[in-house]
Amino acid sequence: MKRLVMCTAVVLTLTTGLSPAIAMPAGSRSVSVTSTSGAEAVVAWNEIAMTTLLTAAIPTAEQPLYLAYTHRAVFLAAREAARRHASLDAAVIAAAHTVLVDHFASQQAVLDADYDAAIAGVPADLSRHIGVTIGRRYGTAVVRERADDGRNGPPLPNPAPGPGVWIPTPPNTAGASSWLGSVRPFVLSSAAQFRPAGPPSLTSAQWAKAYNETRLYGSATSSVRTPEQTEAARFWSDPPYAQNQRALRALIAGRGVGTLQAARIFAFVDTAAADALIACWDTKYHYWFWRPFSAIPAGDTDGNPATPADSSWQPLLGTPNHPEYASAHGCATAAMFIVLAKLLSTGPALDIDLDSVTTGTTHHFATVADLLDEVGNARVWGGIHWRFSVVAGVRIGRSVAGEVLRHGANLG
């Protein structure tokens, strides 16, 4: 990877008195960017970045790429500004703005207005001027370094249909973001570095056990799934990066994290999410394994007498339009929150709240294990995954998290 930084020293500054971020619906600009101090500039521009992605209708799996681009530039700029005793806020604002405008030129007028409002809150002195210069330089450097990374490549053709083979979720005719597994990772040596062994044989007992668990617990009309399990499934059906970035903003605001530490958290966590999904998509489109919505009505075609077909079966949740194995939520969520816990020096503890727009509820997670257990169960209870795919996804995520932490997210 090209070297984007001029120094390796990291200066952590801690400030207090942060205002909690305000969750915004797609297309809105309700976040205040006029008076940014401490980590508020980082938090505000994370929220602006998410709103920009939602306004542009960027598919879910692709969102972490743009978050990683943005926050890697923000962290590099903030670190350099700290070294030069320049305005960290100005560096953050200019870096995020530069990356987002380059990728979302159709929203430039809105992003320019966000920039003008934010920079007006920074004293107009030499420190601001140097900070802006640093931010623009690192924003441009990240854009150039990732210009040929394989983003928006050609879609992959569907395989021939048959038992065990994925088919698009109607009315789609091709897999979502199928090129993502060909994107150059940020940290991994290759997208296939942690590719797991394939799903179990359709004639195996392991397949039958997983099949019947999802058939019974994941059905829209399940009689065995509890109300609490139904709520958990729906809770985790929120757009995942709107949900987890909102939680990160609240955590940073609530803990009084300083600018540089906040920039580091977002850069590392979103890099982990991006590489986890690159690895996950490599796995998905290598194995092309079928989803419950098509497998369970065709259970009598798999050669396994322990997998009864149910022609009327429907999942509780809408099925994502990409192959089933491995679970994307397992991959990215594991990578993100394992990295987060390490950066917070909390060990296995986490102590974080996530909320759901879908259910209007908030769940507290004391540990990373608690969070991963719930999200894994939720994907089975929602009828969109098999148990072994959740396990494989979490394993990928853990491996990616280890690489991100070991290599400092390749940020020098």
Side-chain angles (χ1 to χ4, degrees):
M1 181 177 178
K2 299 174 185 175
R3 189 167 179 82
L4 301 180
V5 297
M6 299 174 61
C7 66
T8 58
V10 176
V11 181
L12 295 181
T13 58
L14 298 177
T15 60
T16 57
L18 304 181
S19 299
I22 302 170
M24 297 188 298
S28 76
R29 281 291 194 269
S30 62
V31 62
S32 172
V33 295
T34 57
S35 179
T36 54
S37 61
E40 289 180 348
V42 179
V43 168
W45 281 87
N46 171 264
E47 194 163 4
I48 289 168
M50 270 312 308
T51 299
T52 301
L53 296 178
L54 296 174
T55 300
I58 298 299
T60 297
E62 301 168 31
Q63 290 172 11
L65 283 179
Y66 296 98
L67 291 169
Y69 299 153
T70 302
H71 283 293
R72 290 171 73 84
V74 163
F75 172 65
L76 291 167
R79 186 171 63 181
E80 181 70 5
R83 189 180 75 86
R84 292 174 173 261
H85 305 289
S87 168
L88 272 68
D89 282 356
V92 166
I93 293 162
H97 175 262
T98 298
V99 173
L100 292 171
V101 165
D102 183 87
H103 290 297
F104 302 100
S106 64
Q107 298 186 57
Q108 181 164 358
V110 177
L111 290 166
D112 285 352
D114 289 336
Y115 174 87
D116 290 343
I119 207 68
V122 181
D125 54 17
L126 180 61
S127 176
R128 185 177 89 170
H129 174 76
I130 296 173
V132 167
T133 300
I134 290 170
R136 287 175 178 165
R137 184 170 76 244
Y138 279 102
T140 299
V142 168
V143 167
R144 288 176 177 171
E145 196 274 332
R146 298 299 301 186
D148 58 352
D149 66 0
R151 185 181 65 257
N152 296 325
L156 301 178
N158 295 337
V165 180
W166 175 82
I167 62 171
T169 308
N172 300 289
T173 58
S177 310
S178 60
W179 48 264
L180 184 59
S182 298
V183 170
R184 170 166 46 91
F186 294 89
V187 178
L188 303 185
S189 60
S190 75
Q193 182 176 349
F194 297 117
R195 183 192 293 167
S201 165
L202 295 183
T203 59
S204 68
Q206 183 186 4
W207 162 243
K209 181 179 179 180
Y211 175 99
N212 286 305
E213 181 186 22
T214 299
R215 179 177 65 85
L216 294 171
Y217 283 88
S219 168
T221 57
S222 173
S223 61
V224 297
R225 187 181 58 241
T226 68
E228 292 77 17
Q229 290 168 338
T230 300
E231 191 276 340
R234 295 192 185 282
F235 179 93
W236 287 103
S237 70
D238 262 29
Y241 302 99
Q243 185 178 49
N244 61 46
Q245 299 297 297
R246 189 166 62 240
L248 288 173
R249 293 194 298 268
L251 180 143
I252 286 168
R255 297 195 180 194
V257 173
T259 299
L260 194 55
Q261 189 178 357
R264 184 170 184 258
I265 287 171
F266 276 115
F268 277 56
V269 168
D270 288 334
T271 293
D275 266 14
L277 285 192
I278 291 170
C280 199
W281 252 244
D282 166 82
T283 298
K284 284 178 177 289
Y285 286 94
H286 180 78
Y287 293 112
W288 294 91
F289 199 66
W290 59 357
R291 289 274 186 177
F293 88 91
S294 64
I296 292 174
D300 55 351
T301 69
D302 65 5
N304 193 325
T307 57
D310 182 348
S311 61
S312 65
W313 192 92
Q314 293 290 327
L316 173 67
L317 304 179
T319 299
N321 183 43
H322 42 77
E324 193 273 342
Y325 182 83
S327 164
H329 227 317
C331 292
T333 305
M336 293 177 71
F337 287 98
I338 290 169
V339 168
L340 176 64
K342 184 67 174 179
L343 294 180
L344 295 174
S345 300
T346 55
L350 190 59
D351 190 24
I352 193 171
D353 290 331
L354 276 80
D355 59 53
S356 169
V357 173
T358 302
T359 61
T361 56
T362 298
H363 290 192
H364 178 77
F365 300 98
T367 68
V368 175
D370 290 343
L371 189 152
L372 296 182
D373 283 348
E374 183 174 291
V375 72
N377 285 328
R379 306 318 263 175
V380 173
W381 298 334
I384 59 177
H385 273 301
W386 316 112
R387 177 68 60 181
F388 54 78
S389 293
V390 173
V391 172
V394 170
R395 187 176 297 121
I396 290 170
R398 288 188 183 279
S399 298
V400 170
E403 289 295 286
V404 168
L405 293 166
R406 187 174 302 114
H407 296 288
N410 270 3
L411 286 166

